[in-house]
Amino acid sequence: MRVLVNEEPREVATATLAALLDELGYGDARVATAVDGAFVPASRRASWTLDEGARIEILAPMQGG
Amino acid sequence: MLFYGTELSSRLMLGTAQYPSPEILADAVREARAGVVTVSLRRESIGSRAGQAFWSLIRELRVPVLPNTAGCHTVKEAVTTAHMAREVFETDWIKLEVIGESDTLQPDMFALVEAARILTDDGFKVFPYMTEDLVGAERLLRAGCRVLMPWGAPIGSGRGLNNLFGLRALRAHFPDVPLVVDAGIGLPSHAAQAMELGYDAVLINTAVAQAGDPARMAAAFRLAVEAGLIARAADPMEQRDMAAPSTPVLGRAVLA
């Protein structure tokens, strides 16, 4: 299935958001996720099924002013 | 002064961006004795783990964090970012930025009020980055904000307090609301001036991070903020236009 992760096209084998994070190496990382512009809490990632073309944002802690 | 029920250990809030290295950032936070540090959320290249290292560093500093919604231009972006930040940083505090104009990074007060209302209803404690607009301030308070953060000047400009009259008017109108000058401060003297006006805190980033010696500048800001705070409490004299001799006139010799 083809999805966009942080605007980069990716071919992924997994069907849920939690599995995608594992596949990308974010399994235990402190990140926040959004799909198609809407926040998806960590507690809902395991049951969040990804659709073809889904736009996924994975954001990490970063320096800020 | 309480910020949403919390007494801060100091009135200096420090941004964490643009430092030459993580070590220098840590030194600056320590030298500033910052009461709060601001943080953000960004994409990172897959597998870089830079965000995890940054988060570890911040946790080691043991300073409360204030996540921001920097870079957001719409209500929806800001609200979604705030939710993401709440989960990652485990705090319901949010420095709400909704930018309306790119050259000045001026806050969009209309979108800001709308986003503040939504986030307050969602249980957030909103620190709105705003212009010094008196009516906008009133609307933000009505939307549920219990802290206001007017700009001194555009972010990163270092121009100091551009509109002294406006900042003074805000202070006079809202004597019991915690007020923070956020953005535009370039020198410790600007920070002291804000505190002398009766502001409760200042938020500094570029002026420390981009100094030749950030840790030393952080110490200078700490002293300036403290000086301004004490000066305000000491009730400064009134200004006047003409001179008033400080040495007694009575008893002066006639030598002419």
Side-chain angles (χ1 to χ4, degrees):
Chain A
M1 180 171 54
R2 212 164 165 75
V3 296
L4 287 173
V5 178
N6 293 351
E7 281 186 346
E8 284 183 21
R10 276 189 110 83
E11 194 66 41
V12 295
T14 47
T16 68
L17 183 55
L20 172 69
L21 287 174
D22 274 340
E23 190 178 320
L24 296 176
Y26 280 113
D28 59 341
R30 186 171 285 265
V31 290
T33 49
V35 177
D36 296 330
F39 170 55
V40 179
S43 59
R44 294 177 63 193
R45 286 177 196 155
S47 59
W48 195 280
T49 312
L50 297 172
D51 296 324
E52 177 74 28
R55 291 179 296 113
I56 299 140
E57 289 284 342
I58 303 172
L59 301 187
M62 204 57 66
Q63 295 83 351
Chain B
M1 177 54 65
L2 298 176
F3 295 80
Y4 288 103
T6 300
E7 185 83 53
L8 301 181
S9 64
S10 98
R11 305 302 187 90
L12 178 52
M13 302 180 175
L14 195 63
T16 57
Q18 299 182 309
Y19 291 81
S21 73
E23 294 73 27
I24 293 174
L25 161 63
D27 286 346
V29 172
R30 285 190 207 101
E31 284 293 332
R33 293 185 206 152
V36 159
V37 290
T38 55
V39 292
S40 190
L41 281 179
R42 285 288 181 266
R43 293 170 176 171
E44 61 182 8
S45 50
I46 305 289
S48 95
R49 313 285 281 190
Q52 310 308 307
F54 172 68
W55 178 237
S56 299
L57 174 75
I58 293 299
R59 282 167 67 113
E60 282 165 21
L61 292 168
R62 297 181 181 281
V63 179
V65 297
L66 175 60
N68 68 27
T69 63
C72 291
H73 283 73
T74 66
V75 172
K76 182 173 183 288
E77 280 177 316
V79 168
T80 303
T81 303
H83 278 278
M84 296 173 90
R86 179 162 68 178
E87 184 178 83
V88 164
F89 295 110
E90 297 175 5
T91 175
D92 50 13
W93 285 17
I94 190 75
K95 175 182 156 180
L96 182 60
E97 290 185 39
V98 190
I99 300 303
E101 202 279 319
S102 297
D103 287 333
T104 55
L105 298 179
Q106 179 166 332
D108 177 339
M109 291 296 284
F110 306 94
L112 188 66
V113 170
E114 193 182 335
R117 186 175 296 116
I118 293 168
L119 290 172
T120 301
D121 289 347
D122 286 341
F124 284 88
K125 297 181 171 72
V126 178
F127 292 66
Y129 168 59
M130 56 181 284
T131 62
E132 69 279 22
D133 185 294
L134 209 52
V135 178
E138 177 63 45
R139 298 290 156 84
L140 285 165
L141 294 173
R142 259 193 260 163
C145 296
R146 294 294 170 264
V147 173
L148 298 175
M149 302 216 296
W151 65 351
I155 295 170
S157 69
R159 293 174 53 86
L161 310 183
N162 261 353
N163 181 0
L164 277 178
F165 167 80
L167 292 172
R168 198 181 291 127
L170 263 189
R171 180 70 287 175
H173 270 75
F174 306 109
D176 302 321
V177 176
L179 296 180
V180 183
V181 170
D182 176 10
I185 287 180
L187 287 168
S189 53
H190 300 151
Q193 189 180 25
M195 300 305 289
E196 287 161 3
L197 282 180
Y199 276 68
D200 298 290
V202 293
L203 201 167
I204 318 282
N205 190 348
T206 312
V208 170
Q210 298 286 290
D213 185 340
R216 211 166 189 187
M217 189 58 83
F221 269 103
R222 163 172 50 85
L223 294 169
V225 167
E226 193 180 345
L229 184 66
I230 296 172
R232 173 71 176 189
D235 189 12
M237 65 168 281
E238 293 293 327
Q239 277 188 14
R240 50 184 289 158
D241 289 333
M242 294 297 153
S246 48
T247 303
V249 177
L250 194 70
R252 191 180 50 157
V254 178
L255 302 171

